[in-house]
Amino acid sequence: MADEFMKGFAISMVGALGWFFFAGWYRTPSFEQIQQLTVEPPEPNGIYDAVAIFASDLFFWLMVLGPLTFWVIIPALRELRRSRADASN
């Protein structure tokens, strides 16, 4: 169980670092505003901007779904498989 926790935690940290990195560039229009990191990104001016905005969204969902997978879904599937194996015996 500790192995799954550390995998989920590492994926969460990598996703958060990537999201903070790209959101700091593209979702922070000025440091005087109250709303930062959650503002809609601007329209991309080129291919690099489009890729960075897509990577920001990808890292955000990695940060959310990575730990959910290792902390909830995989242990639930193992328990389901174990309960089915016990019920068939």
Side-chain angles (χ1 to χ4, degrees), residues 8-88:
F9 186 70
I11 288 174
S12 175
M13 291 299 103
V14 167
L17 180 65
W19 182 69
F20 283 139
F21 182 75
F22 288 114
W25 278 348
Y26 292 100
R27 296 181 188 261
T28 304
S30 73
F31 290 107
E32 288 82 23
Q33 288 184 343
I34 294 175
Q35 233 181 5
Q36 294 181 0
L37 301 176
T38 57
V39 178
E40 285 294 317
E43 287 295 318
N45 293 330
I47 188 70
Y48 292 121
D49 289 339
V51 169
I53 292 169
F54 176 73
S56 171
D57 293 337
L58 185 71
F59 278 120
F60 175 78
W61 287 108
L62 180 70
M63 176 180 63
V64 172
L65 295 177
L68 183 69
T69 300
F70 282 101
W71 295 345
V72 176
I73 295 173
I74 291 176
L77 290 175
R78 285 185 181 166
E79 284 296 319
L80 181 65
R81 189 181 316 138
R82 190 176 305 144
S83 67
R84 285 188 180 181
D86 290 343
S88 66

